[in-house]
């Protein structure tokens, strides 16, 4: 440290800049020289996929007219995702805190460390009454022992981390898993790796809560995310009289292959009305489902009365009348009648049992039909139609691991920065699509097509604010609660190349509305499940698209300008694409701000 008071404020201890030197120039615009980059991450996302497709023709009676073109296939996809990240800047601060964490206030009178003191004549040697520091051993802490082993010190010796030399290598394995995951500023997050960043396999969801090392310390391994997806289809294309038909079916199977909460409204299992009735020998209103969760008036599950029932998202008063939970609880915290003891209802306790709170993800299996047909109305006109159902796996917001559940009761971790917590229990989304149309030949090189379509989107992912949740009161997450519809009309004109010109143009009238345009479009809502139909972000009332292509051929087909036998524009063309849109649900906006002076 510099004796100069101005330079002293720019001190650096073990590479950590402190004080005003951390950020310079107008509050956090730039980091100063020597600032440690506060992020380290690694990941390994592996996807193993098998795809197969085949087709064959069946000719009943050997007639080509009765041919059935059979197409079938499928795919298998298994993912193995791992990720590990940490904000390392706080490691030194954590080491300072952890190095002497076993010391508690007071002294240990069973350990005498006193010697003698040479006093002035005539006192001579004077005995000193010195005792060892009072020590409290935490079975899940490790750093205070390892740092002393590294330097050959006893547990009674004080360790000054900022005075540690560079002759020894300090590494993450000096810490226990409990120390690292509980130090908030590190933001240690991982799955498929152990807490030190080593890839692991053969680990289950339950291992996070039970695994220990040779010293009995909890190691908190988090299993990799391994969702499984299977799909298969079969389709038959055939002709019945003048109708060309395609009839098929597709099967989609999706398994997130993890554990999910039994009840999104509670981390711990709540007694059902039937269980509460039999345990307390009380009568439950007949309008209440026996599987409904029970909430009591206080904290004593053996003496307090019923305050509310809940079945799924529906709440009921003690008399069984369906009502708004805000009328029941007001600003009071909710108090469920839990099924198990306090120790078992503590996810950070060694006595916690995962079966009390979690169940396996229920795999999704859907069969979806697909039908299309077309037939001629005359020699120059035809009719077509189709009906499809499409299934899409959750594409985002599904990563939520045992480590995340471990801190479920910490709302700041559950909804960091006010964002929504992921939900591993998301279901696949479904789209149902209808279309009918008519096409008419105008000339040998041109035709028009008219079609109407209707599309319905179900089980779309959207943020959801869950209210009246024990301990955290409420939290933000994702769920399959959105839906939307798209309906419209399209008219198109196609001109095959005639001379030098080829042309296509279309006009679409469309209405698209639903309860959300994306998974985060409801992020600002704090009213539970209030669903309001609004125009979707891709809603366009009118769209005109055109493509004009004008080009010259070569050789005998060239009909462009020539100079002394030279075809100037042979194989030359101009392509013009036009798109015009009106009626979008949003208008242009500008934010005006004062520039820096």
């Amino acid at each position: 440290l510099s004796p100069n008071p101005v330079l002293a404020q720019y001190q650096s201890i073990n590479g950590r800049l402190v004080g005003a030197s951390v950020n310079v120039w107008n509050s956090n615009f730039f980091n100063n020289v020597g600032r440690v980059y506060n992020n380290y991450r690694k990941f390994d996302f592996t996807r193993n996929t098998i795809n197969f497709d085949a087709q064959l023709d069946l000719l009943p009676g050997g007639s080509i007219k009765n041919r059935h073109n059979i197409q079938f296939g499928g795919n298998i996809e298994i993912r193995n995702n791992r990720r590990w990240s940490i904000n390392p800047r706080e490691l030194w601060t954590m080491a300072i805190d952890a190095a002497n964490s076993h010391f508690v206030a007071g002294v240990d009178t069973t350990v005498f460390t006193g010697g003698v003191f040479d006093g002035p004549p005539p006192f001579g040697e004077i005995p000193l009454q010195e005792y060892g520091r009072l020590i409290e051993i935490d079975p899940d802490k490790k750093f205070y022992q390892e740092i002393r082993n590294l330097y050959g010190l006893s547990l009674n010796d004080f360790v000054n981390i900022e005075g540690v030399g560079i002759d020894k290598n300090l590494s993450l394995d000096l810490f226990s898993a409990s120390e690292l995951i509980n130090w908030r500023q590190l933001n240690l997050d991982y799955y498929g790796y152990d807490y030190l960043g080593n890839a692991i396999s053969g680990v289950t969801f339950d291992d996070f809560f039970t695994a220990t090392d040779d010293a009995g310390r909890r190691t908190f391994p988090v299993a990799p995310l391994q969702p499984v997806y299977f799909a298969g289809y079969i389709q038959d294309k055939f002709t019945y009289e003048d109708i060309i038909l395609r009839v098929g079916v597709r099967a989609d199977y999706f398994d997130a292959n993890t554990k999910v909460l039994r009840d999104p409204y509670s981390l711990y299992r709540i007694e059902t009305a039937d269980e509460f009735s039999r345990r307390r020998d009380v009568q439950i209103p007949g309008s209440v489902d026996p599987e409904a969760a029970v909430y009591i008036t206080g904290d004593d599950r053996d003496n307090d009365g019923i305050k509310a029932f809940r079945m799924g998202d529906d709440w009921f008063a003690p008399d069984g009348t369906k009502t708004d939970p805000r009328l029941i609880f007001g600003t009071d915290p909710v108090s469920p009648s839990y099924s198990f003891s306090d120790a078992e209802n503590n996810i950070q306790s060694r006595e916690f049992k995962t079966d009390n709170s979690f169940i396996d993800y229920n795999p999704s299996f859907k069969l979806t039909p697909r039908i299309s047909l077309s037939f001629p109305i005359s020699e120059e006109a035809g009719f077509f139609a189709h009906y499809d159902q499409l299934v899409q796996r959750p594409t985002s917001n599904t990563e939520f691991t045992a480590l995340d559940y471990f801190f479920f009761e910490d709302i700041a971790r559950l909804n960091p920065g006010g964002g929504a917590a992921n939900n591993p229990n998301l279901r696949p989304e479904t789209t149902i699509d209808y279309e009918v149309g008519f096409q008419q030949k105008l000339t040998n090189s041109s035709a028009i097509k008219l079609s109407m379509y209707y599309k319905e989107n179900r089980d779309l992912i959207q943020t959801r604010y869950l209210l009246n949740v024990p301990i955290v009161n409420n939290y933000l997450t994702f769920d399959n609660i959105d839906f939307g519809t798209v309906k419209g009309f399209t008219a198109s004109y196609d001109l095959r190349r005639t001379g030098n010109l080829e042309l296509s143009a279309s006009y679409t009238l469309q209405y698209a509305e639903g309860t959300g345009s994306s998974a985060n479009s409801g992020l600002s809502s704090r009213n539970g499940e209030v669903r309001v139909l609004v125009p979707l972000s891709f809603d366009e009332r009118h769209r005109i698209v055109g493509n004009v292509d004008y080009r010259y051929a070569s050789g005998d087909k060239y009909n462009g300008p020539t100079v002394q036998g030279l075809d100037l524009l042979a194989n030359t063309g101009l392509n013009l694409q036009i798109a015009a849109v009106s009626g979008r649900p949003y208008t242009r906006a500008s934010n005006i701000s004062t520039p820096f002076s």
Side-chain angles (χ1 to χ4, degrees), residues 456-469:
E456 185 175 309
N457 300 312
R458 300 177 180 176
D459 298 326
L460 300 180
I461 299 172
Q462 183 56 262
T463 52
R464 180 186 184 190
Y465 205 59
L466 290 178
L467 309 174
N468 304 302
V469 179

Side-chain angles (χ1 to χ4, degrees), residues 20 26 44 51 86 95 134 164 172 279 310 372 381 394 407 429 449 483 490 568:
N26 202 358
D44 181 4
N51 295 308
I86 191 173
L134 191 60
V164 169
L172 279 182
R279 182 177 63 83
R310 178 182 54 80
S372 68
F407 296 104
E429 303 173 351
K449 180 187 293 186
F483 65 90
T490 297
L568 292 179

Side-chain angles (χ1 to χ4, degrees), residues 148 259 310 332 376:
R148 285 167 173 78
K259 298 271 190 178
R310 178 182 54 80
D332 297 334

Side-chain angles (χ1 to χ4, degrees), residues 185-225:
Q185 291 79 4
L186 286 178
N187 288 322
L188 178 63
D189 188 27
Y190 57 95
Y191 53 82
Y193 294 98
D194 63 13
Y195 78 101
L196 297 174
N198 303 308
I200 56 177
S201 58
V203 176
T204 67
F205 183 92
D206 291 358
D207 289 338
F208 176 86
F209 301 95
T210 59
T212 58
D213 61 15
D214 294 339
R217 301 185 189 93
R218 302 176 71 178
T219 55
F220 300 111
V222 182
L225 300 181

Side-chain angles (χ1 to χ4, degrees), residues 389-405:
Q389 284 194 28
L390 307 174
V391 175
Q392 183 181 29
R393 291 162 286 167
T395 56
S396 64
N397 310 115
T398 59
E399 295 182 359
F400 205 80
T401 66
L403 178 60
D404 297 315
Y405 282 118

